[in-house]
Every structure is written in structure tokens, then in C-alpha cells.
Amino acid sequence: MKLHTEIARGLKWTAGAKLGSQLVTWGITIYVMRVLDPGDYGLLAMATVFLALLAMFAEVGLGPALVQKSELAPETVRRAYGIVWVVNLVLFALLNLAAGLVAGFYGEARLVPVLHVLSLQFLIIPFIVVPDAMLQRKLDYKWRSLIELATAVAASVATLLMALAGYGVWSLVAGMLANTACKAVLLNVVSPYLRLPSFALGGMRQVVQFGGNVTASRFLWFFFTQIDVVLIGRLLGDHVLGLYSVAVHLASLPAQRVSGILNQVAFPAAARFQHDRAAIGAQLLRAIGYVSLIAFPILWGMSCVAYELIPVLLGPEWGGAILPFQILTLVMPFRMIIGFLPTVTDALGRSDVALRNAALGCLVMPAALYVGSHWGIAGVAYAWVTAYPVVLFMNLRRMLPVIGISLRAVAERVAPALFSAAGMYGAVWAVRMAWRGAGGVTALVLEIVAGVCSYVLLSMVCNRALLAELLRRGRPASPAA
């Protein structure tokens, strides 16, 4: 089967499951935000910084290593399973021992029981790694997508029920545990791995080395993306951190969802067809064009209606999240577009590229964010807009030659959507200035209509080639074809 066929099949199942889950989870998430206090989200953000740090090591990169390896012996899988169990038992103990130190760092005693309960995830993760890797090796997008849909809905429902019962931050904790537990159960129903782990290390050097690069790059990427949360929590407190974390969450939702879809499809497919770099490069450029077509209008559209969107969705008490949300959504389209490129270079056996990219981010971003934190959450957001494009450009120059495409080719695919979205931004601001007296919902509707109409018209002028390509691909094939 050809690469583009596998990608099309994978996108159908993965995107369909994502859409189904988002129809449920986005509504529940926004409602829960209205029920809970910003301090609850700030408390969870403090806890999850350290939890996510340890979670970087939970599978020690062995899941991707098992998927990427072209020939895989059963004994290799058992030994990888053993390593995962040892690592997660260590992480479980470490998080429980460090709970008091983390709470002391933030000056927040409530973190101790939260971290103790969240540590239970490390006793569940080993049951996920191998079954999930086996499904990816089979390119079984159908079951992976259905499992993701079920776990997302289960976690959201658990969070909602706990929030309505008045459990505050514990409703968010319950949702996280429900997600992990549900995924483990369903994966072992669909793709059970019933063998005992092996603790021998013979013949594991190549697998462990690949997994080590993946783990190190994930760790550095985590530091690169979470240092702002640490700084705000330490310097500005849980309430301000709650505002910022919700702004980041809403701004990054589209990027996370689209990148999640593409990563789930791209990694196993590119690993299977890693011998055909030309086909991978061609499909990647096509994907970049399609993602740009939706990323810029959605995220820049969210930015230009932020003053009405946040109060309407979350209520007036979240007004402090408006400015960071508006700023962060400006940079998110670029993160969405290049978010799956490290996955492709990993699938091609070059896990060292993502590691070096993450190292560069860790050198540049913490300094910029620290300087920005002196001006509050707005300063941190401005630091992302000013420093991240530098990191992005340098990382692209490292990744694209590995894949076999040029920076100019990427720019040509992105530019039409960028220019169309910039024109849309101006049109929406003109509507806001003309309708200053309109109420929140009324102004929001007027601005959204203006944005959609202007983006469509500008795309018909600036992005005509890509729209024609989409129309050709959408037409049914002729009998002769």
C-alpha cells in the first residue's frame, strides 16, 4: 500500500475521532472553567509541571523505538517492557518523596495530597506502552482513534461530575487519572500484551539509544514549554498562574489537536515508508499547505476577537486572561505547522535532530521568558512572540534537509494563508471600531462573520492554487480513472 493511501486512511480515522471527542470535551471543558475558580487551575498547573517533567521519562522513548525499528524480535519487546516497569516504579516513588519539596517551592501545602494521588499514573503507564506501540506498528488507526475518543469522553465526564459536586481541583485530578486508566484498559482489550517483562539488557543498545534521544528531546522540549508556568507560579502566585494557564490552554487547543492528529498518523506511516524520502517530502509539503489554510484563520481569528470571546465563554472574572490569550494565539499557527516535523525526523531514524532543536529552545527561551516575567503575564506572552520565531527559523533549517525539502518551498506553501489571515485581522478590527457600542455576544457574532467572509474572499485571491487543489481532490474520480 502507498504512503498517501495510508496517510489518508489514518487521517480519516484519527481526525474523525478527534472531531467526535472535541464536540464533547470542548463544551465540557469550557463549562468546567466557568464552575471552577482560577486558583484551582493554578494549583493543578503547579502540580502538573513536576508530574509532566517525570512523565517525560515514563516510557523512556521505548514506545517510539519499538515502532521505528524495522525488524522487531519478541525478546526485544519483553526487555523494553521490563525497562518501562522499572522506570515507572522509580518515578512513582520519586514523585511521592518529592511532593513536600514541590509544595515548599511554591509555598502551597495543598500540593502534597494532589501529587500523591497523581503519582498513581506511573503504576498504569506500563500497561499502555507496548500495546499502543503494537497498534502503531500495524498502522491500526481505527482502534487507536476509537480508544482515544472513549478516553477523552470518559475523562471529561469524570471531571464534570466532580466539578458539579463541588470538589474543586480534585475534579481536574480525577479527569487526568480517568484518562490514563481508561486508555490502559481499552488498549489491553484490543491489543493485549500478556507476557512477563524481562530485565535482561542484551541486544538493547540500539533501541535504548534511540529511545534515549527521544526522551532527552522530550525533556528539553518540556523545559522549553513549561518554564513560563514555573516562573509565573513562583513570582506571581496561583491566581495569576490560573489566568495564564487557561489562556495558554485555550490558545494551544487547536495546535495540540491538529498536531496530535498529524503526529499519530505521520510517525508510524513515515517509519513504515522511511526508504522513500521523496514521497514523504511531497506529502509533508501538501500537509503544511492544508494546515496553514486552517491554522491562521482559526488562531488569528481567535486573537482578534479575544476581547469579546473570553468574557462570553468564561465570564468576566477571566478578563485577566484576554491579553496573554490574544498575544499567544499569534504565534500558535507556526507551532501548529511545524509541530509534526520532529515526528517525521524521528521516524526517519534521526532522533538526534529533535534533540538538538530542543536544546536550542532551552538556551533561548528561558532567558527571554525570565525578562518578560518582570512585566507580568503579558510580558511572558510577548517573550513568546519575539523569541520563538528565532528558535523556529533555526530549527527549520536543521530539520528540512533531513526530510528533503527546502525552506523556500515551505514558505511558498505558508505565505498565501498568512497574508489572507492578516487581511482578515484588519477587517475584524475595522468592524470592532465601527460597532463599539454593540454588546459582547452581538459584537462577537459580527466580528466572526466579518472574519469568515474576508478570509474566504482573500483566500480566493491569494491562495487560489491550494483551493483549486482541494477542489480537485474532493471531486469523485471518473470511471476511466
Side-chain angles (χ1 to χ4, degrees), residues 62-64 66-67 128-138:
L62 294 181
L66 295 178
V67 177
I128 293 175
V129 175
V130 173
D132 190 46
M134 295 303 104
L135 284 181
Q136 289 188 65
R137 284 185 66 85
K138 298 175 185 176

Side-chain angles (χ1 to χ4, degrees), residues 18-286:
K18 285 282 187 183
L19 176 61
S21 66
Q22 295 317 305
L23 290 175
V24 176
T25 59
W26 279 13
I28 292 176
T29 298
I30 291 172
Y31 184 78
V32 170
M33 286 178 180
R34 298 179 69 94
V35 174
L36 299 182
D37 184 79
D40 293 326
Y41 281 92
L43 190 64
L44 185 73
M46 292 176 181
T48 52
V49 166
F50 192 68
L51 177 71
L53 172 63
L54 296 183
M56 295 293 101
F57 302 93
E59 67 170 359
V60 277
L62 294 181
L66 295 178
V67 177
Q68 196 276 333
K69 195 171 176 61
S70 55
E71 300 292 335
L72 191 61
E75 193 59 29
T76 301
V77 180
R78 285 189 62 214
R79 291 171 181 174
Y81 190 40
I83 294 172
V84 170
W85 262 112
V86 170
V87 169
N88 278 272
L89 289 173
V90 171
L91 294 176
F92 171 76
L94 182 60
L95 183 56
N96 279 283
L97 291 172
L101 295 176
V102 175
F105 174 79
Y106 285 112
E108 181 55 77
R110 292 178 297 168
L111 280 175
V112 174
V114 170
L115 289 170
H116 285 325
V117 174
L118 287 174
S119 69
L120 295 173
Q121 290 191 84
F122 294 116
L123 302 181
I124 304 173
I125 289 173
F127 296 104
I128 293 175
V129 175
V130 173
D132 190 46
M134 295 303 104
L135 284 181
Q136 289 188 65
R137 284 185 66 85
K138 298 175 185 176
L139 299 183
D140 194 338
Y141 300 111
K142 174 182 175 180
W143 279 113
R144 290 191 77 234
S145 300
L146 293 176
I147 289 170
E148 182 177 350
L149 171 61
T151 56
V153 172
S156 296
V157 171
T159 303
L160 175 63
L161 293 177
M162 294 281 285
L164 292 175
Y167 283 98
V169 69
W170 291 106
S171 60
L172 303 175
V173 173
M176 293 178 65
L177 287 177
N179 186 293
T180 307
C182 183
K183 185 175 183 180
V185 170
L186 293 178
L187 278 171
N188 281 277
V189 170
V190 174
S191 178
Y193 187 75
L194 304 177
R195 299 188 180 186
L196 291 174
S198 170
F199 300 103
L201 296 177
M204 294 294 290
R205 180 177 179 179
Q206 184 179 2
V207 174
V208 171
Q209 183 178 10
F210 183 93
N213 283 338
V214 172
T215 301
S217 64
R218 287 177 177 178
F219 169 74
L220 292 176
W221 178 256
F222 165 81
F223 179 81
F224 163 57
T225 56
Q226 294 296 317
I227 187 63
D228 50 354
V229 175
V230 175
L231 289 171
I232 292 175
R234 176 71 172 173
L235 300 175
L236 304 177
D238 63 348
H239 182 80
V240 175
L241 178 59
L243 295 172
Y244 181 80
S245 63
V246 167
V248 172
H249 178 68
L250 292 176
S252 61
L253 267 179
Q256 290 175 351
R257 297 304 180 255
V258 172
S259 296
I261 292 171
L262 293 173
N263 286 334
Q264 287 183 37
V265 175
F267 183 74
R272 174 73 66 86
F273 294 91
Q274 56 188 282
H275 58 280
D276 193 350
R277 301 290 176 95
I280 291 174
Q283 293 299 321
L284 192 60
L285 279 176
R286 181 175 287 120

Side-chain angles (χ1 to χ4, degrees), residues 284-326:
L284 192 60
L285 279 176
R286 181 175 287 120
I288 288 172
Y290 296 160
V291 173
S292 300
L293 188 66
I294 63 171
F296 282 103
I298 290 176
L299 287 157
W300 285 12
M302 291 165 63
S303 176
C304 59
V305 302
Y307 285 108
E308 291 76 28
L309 181 65
I310 296 297
V312 168
L313 282 181
L314 306 181
E317 67 273 15
W318 290 91
I322 292 175
L323 185 57
F325 173 78
Q326 186 178 41

Side-chain angles (χ1 to χ4, degrees), residues 42 105 191 207 340 419 441 459:
F105 174 79
S191 178
V207 174
F340 57 96
F419 292 139
V441 176
S459 295

